[in-house]
């Protein structure tokens, strides 16, 4: 049987085996790299989504602070963050929708977040209206009732 494979055939077989192993290792390395790139892209997208969610939360917190600042002082300049939130919030929600449009569960959750954000802004608008029309005490009572705090929680 050893005569069947001459020295030259053994060397050729060794090179062929090495080439096959090298090709298999290359395919495994390519597949692993592809998986890592996909995972990295998903992580990056998740970080962008988390940043947008933090931006949305920051806008709502700033709007609430602005409303309370206006209630306390009666100074219209305190309402600038509230106005910014009203203007920027829809764009942030649209961006979030576009980022995860292919996830139905995400869309449902974002619908809920948007509804709560809208309620929060409407409550702040109500407080501002009460402060303008009925004065400090009426607005203070509305804030003290805790609805705004409940919405943010």
């Amino acid at each position: 049987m050893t005569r069947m494979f001459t020295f030259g055939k053994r060397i050729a077989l060794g090179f062929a085996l090495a080439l096959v192993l090298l090709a298999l290792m290359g395919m495994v390395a390519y597949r692993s790299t592809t998986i890592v790139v996909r995972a990295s892209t998903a992580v990056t997208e998740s970080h962008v989504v988390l940043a947008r969610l933090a931006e949305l939360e920051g806008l709502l917190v700033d709007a609430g602070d602005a409303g309370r600042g206006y209630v306390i002082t009666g100074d219209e300049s305190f309402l600038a963050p509230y106005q910014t939130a009203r203007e920027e919030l829809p764009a942030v929600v649209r961006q979030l929708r576009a980022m995860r449009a292919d996830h139905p569960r995400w869309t449902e959750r974002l619908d809920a977040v948007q509804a709560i954000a809208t309620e929060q802004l409407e409550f702040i608008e109500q407080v501002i209206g009460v402060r303008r029309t009925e004065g400090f005490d009426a607005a203070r009572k509305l804030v003290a009732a805790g609805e705004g705090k409940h919405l943010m929680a």
Side-chain angles (χ1 to χ4, degrees), residues 69-70 72-79 131:
Y70 174 71
I72 292 168
T73 65
D75 183 354
E76 295 280 333
S77 68
F78 276 84
L79 294 178
R131 174 64 165 101

Side-chain angles (χ1 to χ4, degrees), residues 18-37:
L19 184 63
V20 168
L21 288 174
L22 189 61
L24 285 173
M25 287 174 27
M27 289 187 324
V28 169
Y30 176 78
R31 182 166 163 75
S32 297
T33 301
T34 303
I35 290 169
V36 167
V37 168

Side-chain angles (χ1 to χ4, degrees), residues 5-22:
F5 291 112
T6 64
F7 184 71
K9 287 183 182 179
R10 288 181 189 172
I11 290 177
L13 185 62
F15 276 118
L17 184 60
L19 184 63
V20 168
L21 288 174
L22 189 61

Side-chain angles (χ1 to χ4, degrees), residues 29-55:
Y30 176 78
R31 182 166 163 75
S32 297
T33 301
T34 303
I35 290 169
V36 167
V37 168
R38 282 187 199 145
S40 176
T41 301
V43 167
T44 301
E45 289 174 0
S46 294
H47 283 293
V48 172
V49 167
L50 289 172
R52 288 288 177 254
L53 286 170
E55 182 180 352

